[in-house]
Amino acid sequence: MKTGRQYWRSLEQLAGTPRFQEWLRREFPQGAPELAGQGSRRRMLRLMAASLGLAGLTACRRPVENILPSSRGSEAIVPGVPNWYATSMTVGGLSFGLLVESHDGRPTKIEGNPRHPSSLGATTAHAQAAVLSLYDPDRSTRVLRQGRAASWDGFEAFAAQHFAAARVGDGARIRFLSETACSPSLEAVRRHALTRFPGARWIEYEPLNQDQALAGSEIAYGAPHVVRFHFDKADMVVSLDHDFLGLDALSLGWIRQFSRRRTADSPREPMNRLYAVESRFSMTGAAADHRLRLRPSEVRRFGEDLARALGALEGPAPSPNRFLDALARDLKASRGRSLVLAGPRQPAEVHALAHLLNQALGNTGVTVTCSRAPRDDARLQIRSLQSLAAELAAGQVETLVVLGGNPAFTAPADMGFQGLMRKARYNVRLGLEEDETSAGAEWHLPEAHFLESWGDGRALDGTASIQQPLIEPLYGGRTVAEVVAVISGYKDRRAYDIVRNHWLAGWPVRDAEKNWRRALHDGVVSGSSFPEARPAADASRVAAALQSNPASPVAEGLEIAFTPGWATWDGRYANNGWLQEAPDPMTRLTWDNAALVSPATASRLGLATGDLVRLSRGRHEVAAPVLVQPGHADDCVSVPLGYGRAMCGRVGRNVGFNAFLLRTTDALWSAAGLELRRTGRTARLALTQNHHNMEGRPLILAATLEEYRKDPKFVAHSKPHLEPFSLHKEPSYDRGNQWGMAIDLSACVGCNACVLACQAENNIPIVGKQQVLRGRQMHWIRVDRYYQGSPEDPGAAVQPVTCQQCENAPCENVCPVAATTHSPEGLNDMAYNRCVGTRYCSNNCPYKVRRFNFLDFHKGLSEAGKMVFNPDVTVRMRGVMEKCTYCVQRIEEKKIKARREGRRAIGDGEIQTACQQACPAGAIVFGDINDPASRVAGLRNHNRGYGLLEELNTKPRTTYLARLRNPNPELA
Amino acid sequence: MSGINGALILGKPALGDITAAVSGIVERKPPRAWYVAFGISAALTLVLGAMLAHLVTTGVGVWGNNQPVGWAWDITNFVFWIGIGHAGTLISAILFLLRQRWRTSINRAAEAMTLFAVMCAGIFPLFHVGRPWRAYWLLPFPNADLAMWPNFRSPLLWDVFAVSTYATVSALFWYVGLIPDLATLRDRASTRIRQVVYGVLSLGWRGSARHWRHYEMAYLLLAGLSTPLVISVHSIVSFDFAVSVIPGWHTTIFPPYFVAGAIFSGFAMVVTLMILARRVYRLENLVTMKHLDNMCKVMLATGMIVGYAYAVEFFTAFFSGNPYERFVFVNRAVGPYAWAVWIMFTCNVIVPQVFWLKRARNCIPLMFVVSILINVGMWFERFVIIVTSLHRDYLPSSWGYFRPTPVDILTFAGSIGLFLTLFLLFVRFLPMIAMAEVKGVVAGGKTHGEAKA
Amino acid sequence: MAPIFTESADRLLRVVIAALLLLAAGAAGLASWIFHPRQTEVGYTPVQPVPYSHKLHAGDLGMDCRYCHTSVETAAMAAVPSTETCMNCHQRVRSESLALAPVRESYATGKPIPWVRVHRLPDFVFFNHSAHLAAGVSCVSCHGRADQMIEVKAVEPLNMAWCLDCHRNPAARIRPREYVTRLGWRPDRDPLELGRGLVAANNIAPPVNCSGCHR
């Protein structure tokens, strides 16, 4: 977006609603501060103590400190030197390879495993936050029987007699309910259990699953297939409601490959083009060159039209439509180099259409490949859950074993699953939390976190990786495999044996041990990926399916669309403060979910952001705050799932509203017939960004590919041309290492992984909703998001902003105590222990990247809670300023390492900042700008490179690469 | 000097009458009004104590300050009080050097006020920091432990010097001026305690020619010394903003603009207090319409300067062509804080215009109201400069809005309480009018310096 | 009316004022002296759970520091040795000694020996032993002649000013790497010029900016 274009500040202002005007004018809007907090007596005592505290502040001698060396030494563990282990994390039946840093036995930081196909060294925001969940003191810590404390021994005794053949026979009245499993070793245990209890059944249910995709492939190919995308080969990408750059990404490889094709290093380089068809404004939509707002129900019709337009489907050619025709022509022009994707929330038919289209366009086998699904017997999970519900209702289930997950919370509302569970005489529940499902369970067993237990899993392409524990189970949890082993009398009982023996059995004895060690070390089992299948999509079968299940006519009234919760996913991360506080990439909302509606719909219904409404479908209803989302499809309300957990830890309890209460068996992803009633009440939404336009300022520079080709120096030409001069002689930074960073705005998809990575690396505190409302969030790196164009159908652009490490740092000369000064390597050092907290530096920072500890944000941390801290970074106290330091602890570590090895030179890429390492898009590059050969030096002098607000002569060390877009000239 | 507004002293009092009138206040039991006022302000002072304790134990977060508004009421109050403190030194020093005889009846009270205002001002920079117990790091003392000096490039450090110097000098000035009167009180004292206390305080003043000569010299020197301070203090305070890069702060006209504003608000406060004092203590003969009339003129003049400064600011912003600057001033006029800006403009520029009318300058109630309004307006001026500039600076993504918390409000109220408490104690125990000097103004008398002339 | 004040009152007053000023100044000076690490830290000699003598081991027996402080060359921490390390010898040597009872007990029970920290830095200081050894700074520079101490005793204040002294002109305390653990080592020529040579040769540039030690 050039500086010249039209920007608007925020919807309300554009609309100029009286409410907004009033909000602007009002001196004390609603919400008194938290002064009237807890016990006033305690506060009174504190006040009295204060006077004393003020008096006696002279430093007295520190108390005696002990050094406790371990009795037995171990060469593996050097005090203070972290070790790295490969492991994997499984979400929704797919595993991501991780490398985990362990400080003296404490896992503190998670990175992606470069060897793993779905992580490629990067991580998702959720993976970054997993360490916090590991130490969550609210996790389930005890075995409960009927809500009373019991023990594992007690359970084993119970299991021994309860599951005895004599009692349960063939186990016809036993049912297992687990999440989608992708663990080969668990599969073995499962098979054993089902042979042990032939009459039993094992149901898998995951609220956010890939069923539609599997079913779709079954329609197209006659058998369920897993699909892999190859964005690196695709010039033309069409997303049918698939947020493949956001929450729907099943492999970070997708983002990496896609972004590689967006970052033209020279005007000649080709660039891909993305058409996004979606209802909610997703990060994929933000990255798209062309975006079509459609209600979920309209996407299928669009797909059919596209298929007909391309001749993939018989039938009358669709009525002329500018977008569709241009798209069709584009696709025709790039046969074999395009890619059509259908989103997991779209019905099977749309997926089938996508397969058909890819085949018709010659993409199959090139940009999209398949492999047979691991299990053919996989049916639609919802169907199996329904039958289970029926059996429970009919009292045919005596023992229900719920293995992980939280079905009582996530099952469709019309099922009343929580009640049904009680119908089973015995229900045994293994879970990470004491949650909705544990309530009324005969047995509640604490599950082990993936960082504290053995396991394994498969990635999208089938690559298996071992899940290696970093620490003994903190609260005595056990894994699913272990519990099933106890129940079914499997030969191995300990997770380690179950996993190890399973894999060893599969290898020739000779090199079994070697393979095992290798698998542990690499984090992947070599050659374990699924063989590629080359099925042919059958147009007639697809046509038949479309016939048999015709698209419902676009209904009047409102449509509801369910989306994964940004922070909570399906509710499993609700108690994770890091995620709750990380703003939703698009809405910038924290500590909440909201019903998203388009501006037009909002004005039609007289709604404004913050209004509390009642959403209802039939007898299901819930109260939700409205958030007006520019670019959202009209007459459609998107509701994120996974919030509003009633039985949850202290962090996530009753945060947001529970959208599952509206989700019914017949409407898992979207449905018509939503009723919306205003309550007249309002809620305060903690948004971290309240102004969404750039005021015409040159912040995110952008151009289309043509413009770039016409004028490769468009950046220089679009910025105000000034020759900044200085009154005094400025220090020159031309010797030694000079650290700098370059961020490519063409690559960044705004996924927030950097924000979480930074939080984990730098001990950044959680402040809570009230403080976010006051504007005191602490993130050292934030991803700004700006809209452009009409509020109805705007474009969006994102920009990660962190300390720019200015060479002429405005913050430095105003600090009265010299707590922030410049290092000879060009870093803007911040000495927390010197800071007295005048906040002058923050006031004088044009980028507003400095963060102040207004209160003691680490107060009341449990011992476990403290274990997550990175010992290489000071934990800042109340009253001091803090900010990004380019992860100076990592820089110093590598520098010292180099010195030890007797070399001075530090290789390019040897030092990675936390944000850079986590970034799936590879948008962040850090290095030595003084080394002309380094990548960052190249990008700094790139013709797309520029410094944010460089006209202030701050000489930022962080530079940006202007955003490129590749719109279709026909649609321009 | 003729007519009501002509005379600096009315009723042709004998020198003894003046002594009696002024010392009487200190010697007699104070009127009920004093007790009421003292009760209220003392209570407010306790509130201040509680709020500061709460702040220190809990953190700056008890105030409404946030990202991006790192400074709000705290620094607003600081600049406000420092401003109030300006009239005192101006009256004592500059008017003295300019031989303005009309200063004599009001300078004592004005100087006291200055002192108390500076004390109130001192509270805020000290407690606005995140770790007040480390605030001493702002002082340049040799410390072998850290070998760290403060950063001499930081305007905040300049503040430390400017304000502390100012406080010291005005305290000395005030005290030196007090000595002869303290001696008078000592001599009139009826009780032993009074005799001893005033005796010690008057440092053995015996009114000998030698004493008077030293006294005159000291007074003259201090006057000379504090004259530049009148300019320097608020100029340096204004550097806190002028030196930064924030649009709305980064302005070269701040020093004169701030000084004018300070004198403006200072005189307003003197008027407020003197009107009350002369009423309660029946001092109409010593603090005459002439004094009030002059002060009104000063307020009118400085008010115009302030108004001019506002205009220049807007013009510069427009003329600079700098989009960020322009935005700030548009945002001030019509943005979220427009209400504050318009209060400021009305109170500081429009209201004082009434003083063009002689009638207005004779109408005490009107004067009183206007002086209060000016103080309100000047508080808002600082609020506007600080908060509206910060809340929307360069990156729209980080724009915010500041809302004060009850603690903000109570802390400010508390500082007013402290100010009034100190002032009430002053009028109770010290001569609020410089007897020795006033005597110089009565027909045929000579004031400072003229003795030698 | 009898005079309240005597003739000498004026003088008395002056004396009192002067005295008060002096007192204030004196108090400030005294406090800053008392609370200086040179007073609070230097000489700190806590009683250790085991009467371990560095003089005996490192001095008389001439054991190298690195035998016990294994990670000193490779890590930030010099690492106090595990009980196992002690037992390597003491399983045989003086295996019955009463003084060694806590060691044997720790070895048997697996419970660590609660050694008392002598050299303490605030937790916002990130000191790295390996970096200093790599540069050729000897143990003796901070820990003194440990090889002559029966009980370990803090000999340096370890305050920031003291660190900066060396960081600003390292030459005085740089020696060839192979001698860093030879506490008594004396160069054959002028140590300062030797140091200068080494600083130039290995271009040793100790950080004097904040993030060098505070992160």
Side-chain angles (χ1 to χ4, degrees), chain A residues 143-151 154 158 161 426 441-444:
Chain A
V143 177
L144 292 174
R145 181 169 200 176
Q146 290 163 346
R148 279 188 304 284
S151 69
F158 163 83
Q161 56 88 15
Y426 299 95
E442 166 82 8
W443 284 94
H444 168 82

Side-chain angles (χ1 to χ4, degrees), chain A residues 9 23-30 33 35 43 46-47 49-51 54 57 684 688-691 693-695 697-699 771 773-777 782 784-786 801 810 812-818 832-840 842-848 850-852 854-856 877-881 948-949 951-952, chain B residues 50 53-71 73-74 127-135 137-138 143 146 148-157 239-241 243-246 249 323-324 327 334-339 390 392-407 409:
Chain A
R9 178 175 299 141
W23 178 81
L24 286 178
R25 306 265 173 283
R26 196 167 16 171
E27 183 174 10
F28 312 109
Q30 71 278 58
L35 172 64
R43 167 158 277 99
R46 282 237 298 289
L47 296 192
S51 39
L54 283 169
L57 283 167
R684 296 189 75 197
T688 60
Q689 191 179 339
N690 293 305
H691 294 268
N693 93 315
M694 281 191 267
E695 297 287 332
R697 299 174 180 186
L699 308 179
Q771 295 301 313
L773 280 168
R774 278 222 170 278
R776 293 169 180 173
Q777 58 275 17
R782 60 171 197 264
D784 292 346
R785 190 266 299 110
Y786 297 102
V801 179
E812 284 171 7
N813 72 322
V814 298
C815 174
V817 293
Y832 309 118
N833 43 302
R834 175 68 176 175
C835 176
V836 299
T838 66
R839 303 186 293 290
Y840 199 170
S842 159
N843 291 344
N844 206 26
C845 172
Y847 308 96
K848 287 290 174 284
R850 289 176 157 264
R851 296 288 177 257
F852 185 68
F854 280 95
L855 298 165
D856 180 0
M877 78 178 292
R878 180 239 300 179
V880 306
M881 189 62 69
L948 187 57
L949 299 175
E951 55 270 31
L952 299 177
Chain B
H54 176 49
L55 176 82
V56 172
T57 46
T58 317
V60 180
V62 301
W63 286 340
N65 303 38
N66 60 17
Q67 290 285 346
V69 186
W71 287 347
W73 280 36
D74 43 12
F127 283 90
H128 95 288
V129 302
R131 304 196 292 169
W133 51 92
R134 287 276 179 240
W137 278 348
L138 269 76
N143 54 349
L146 294 179
M148 281 286 288
W149 290 96
N151 174 11
F152 292 98
R153 295 181 304 164
S154 167
L156 270 187
L157 195 69
F239 290 165
D240 287 346
F241 311 107
V243 165
S244 79
V245 299
I246 299 304
W249 281 12
Y324 304 108
F327 175 82
V334 300
Y337 287 107
W339 55 271
L390 283 177
R392 288 183 172 179
D393 65 345
Y394 289 99
L395 300 189
S397 63
S398 41
W399 287 357
Y401 189 81
F402 164 83
R403 295 182 196 83
T405 65
V407 184
I409 297 159

Side-chain angles (χ1 to χ4, degrees), chain B residues 8 42 194 239 279 289 344 350 394 418:
Chain B
L8 293 169
R194 282 175 158 274
F239 290 165
R279 180 74 199 289
M289 290 315 290
M344 164 191 100
I350 298 170
Y394 289 99
L418 175 63

Side-chain angles (χ1 to χ4, degrees), chain C residues 26-49:
Chain C
L30 191 68
S32 59
W33 184 81
I34 290 174
F35 292 112
H36 189 280
R38 201 167 290 104
Q39 276 54 252
T40 55
E41 293 299 323
V42 175
Y44 178 54
T45 321
V47 179
Q48 299 291 354

Side-chain angles (χ1 to χ4, degrees), chain B residues 131-337:
Chain B
R131 304 196 292 169
W133 51 92
R134 287 276 179 240
Y136 69 93
W137 278 348
L138 269 76
L139 304 175
F141 60 94
N143 54 349
D145 184 0
L146 294 179
M148 281 286 288
W149 290 96
N151 174 11
F152 292 98
R153 295 181 304 164
S154 167
L156 270 187
L157 195 69
W158 311 341
D159 270 358
V160 173
F161 299 134
V163 174
S164 52
T165 316
Y166 187 59
T168 322
V169 172
S170 27
L172 278 174
F173 200 15
W174 176 70
Y175 189 76
V176 169
L178 264 171
I179 292 173
D181 291 359
L182 287 167
T184 314
L185 288 176
R186 174 198 60 196
D187 301 339
R188 293 168 50 99
S190 47
T191 71
R192 185 78 185 165
I193 309 151
R194 282 175 158 274
Q195 284 175 337
V196 175
V197 173
Y198 287 120
V200 172
L201 289 178
S202 57
L203 305 174
W205 174 270
R206 284 182 297 285
S208 69
R210 191 156 148 280
H211 280 178
W212 275 111
R213 204 173 65 252
H214 289 319
Y215 169 79
E216 292 291 350
M217 184 49 62
Y219 202 85
L220 187 64
L221 290 177
L222 282 168
L225 193 58
S226 45
T227 305
L229 291 181
V230 179
I231 310 302
S232 70
V233 185
H234 229 55
S235 304
I236 288 174
V237 168
S238 76
F239 290 165
D240 287 346
F241 311 107
V243 165
S244 79
V245 299
I246 299 304
W249 281 12
H250 183 70
T251 319
T252 45
I253 67 160
F254 266 8
Y257 165 13
F258 269 52
V259 172
I263 296 165
F264 186 43
S265 60
F267 266 91
M269 186 58 89
V270 178
V271 170
T272 317
L273 294 176
M274 290 318 282
I275 285 178
L276 291 173
R278 78 196 280 271
R279 180 74 199 289
V280 174
Y281 293 105
R282 306 245 148 286
L283 293 170
E284 289 84 354
N285 287 349
L286 296 178
V287 182
T288 63
M289 290 315 290
K290 171 71 175 170
H291 296 109
L292 298 176
D293 180 76
N294 284 352
M295 288 196 276
C296 290
K297 286 175 181 160
V298 175
M299 285 194 280
L300 178 58
T302 46
M304 306 277 288
I305 302 179
V306 169
Y308 173 74
Y310 296 164
V312 169
E313 265 195 319
F314 267 85
F315 174 75
T316 322
F318 150 75
F319 195 64
S320 69
N322 174 337
Y324 304 108
E325 277 292 330
R326 281 185 181 176
F327 175 82
V328 167
F329 286 89
V330 173
N331 182 51
R332 275 187 193 171
V334 300
Y337 287 107

Side-chain angles (χ1 to χ4, degrees), chain A residues 528-759:
Chain A
S528 57
S529 62
F530 296 137
E532 187 180 328
R534 294 190 162 283
D538 180 341
S540 58
R541 214 186 297 102
V542 175
L546 292 172
Q547 289 290 323
S548 64
N549 180 9
S552 48
V554 175
E556 286 309 305
L558 289 175
E559 197 170 305
I560 187 169
F562 299 96
T563 66
W566 144 249
T568 57
W569 188 242
D570 59 4
R572 71 184 64 196
Y573 303 129
N575 208 52
N576 189 309
W578 287 355
L579 288 169
Q580 287 280 15
E581 195 151 301
D584 175 297
M586 182 54 71
T587 63
R588 319 303 294 153
L589 179 61
T590 66
W591 292 103
D592 238 327
N593 60 338
L596 307 181
V597 297
S598 76
T601 309
S603 57
R604 185 168 63 74
L605 301 172
L607 298 172
T609 295
D611 286 356
L612 217 50
V613 297
R614 298 204 74 74
L615 301 173
S616 57
R617 282 188 60 247
R619 55 191 180 78
H620 306 286
E621 79 166 15
V622 65
V626 165
L627 194 153
V628 179
Q629 170 64 62
H632 195 284
D634 295 338
D635 301 323
C636 173
V637 179
S638 295
V639 290
L641 298 164
Y643 289 82
R645 292 269 314 273
M647 300 181 69
C648 179
R650 284 158 291 183
V651 176
R653 193 176 300 142
N654 299 324
V655 169
F657 68 94
N658 180 1
F660 278 111
L661 293 178
L662 293 175
R663 198 184 192 216
T664 52
T665 324
D666 59 336
L668 288 176
W669 299 112
S670 61
L674 175 74
E675 295 291 324
L676 186 150
R677 286 200 316 288
R678 295 161 63 183
T679 63
R681 286 176 293 126
T682 58
R684 296 189 75 197
L685 295 175
L687 296 159
T688 60
Q689 191 179 339
N690 293 305
H691 294 268
H692 309 299
N693 93 315
M694 281 191 267
E695 297 287 332
R697 299 174 180 186
L699 308 179
I700 298 180
L701 300 185
T704 66
L705 193 57
E706 289 96 302
E707 288 165 337
Y708 184 39
R709 289 193 169 140
K710 272 200 216 74
D711 175 11
K713 297 212 176 328
F714 73 95
V715 167
H717 298 152
S718 65
K719 279 193 83 77
H721 182 74
L722 333 132
E723 279 306 324
F725 69 96
S726 175
L727 295 176
H728 56 86
K729 188 178 171 301
E730 292 180 357
S732 67
Y733 298 96
D734 47 9
R735 285 174 16 287
N737 304 108
Q738 295 300 332
W739 307 117
M741 181 181 278
I743 302 177
D744 193 329
L745 298 177
S746 266
C748 177
V749 297
C751 68
N752 267 358
C754 51
V755 177
L756 273 293
C758 179
Q759 185 146 26

Side-chain angles (χ1 to χ4, degrees), chain C residues 77-95:
Chain C
M77 299 188 196
V80 171
S82 64
T83 315
E84 206 172 19
T85 316
C86 313
M87 294 305 279
N88 287 346
C89 303
H90 286 293
Q91 247 149 355
R92 277 164 238 77
V93 186
R94 330 245 349 264
S95 53

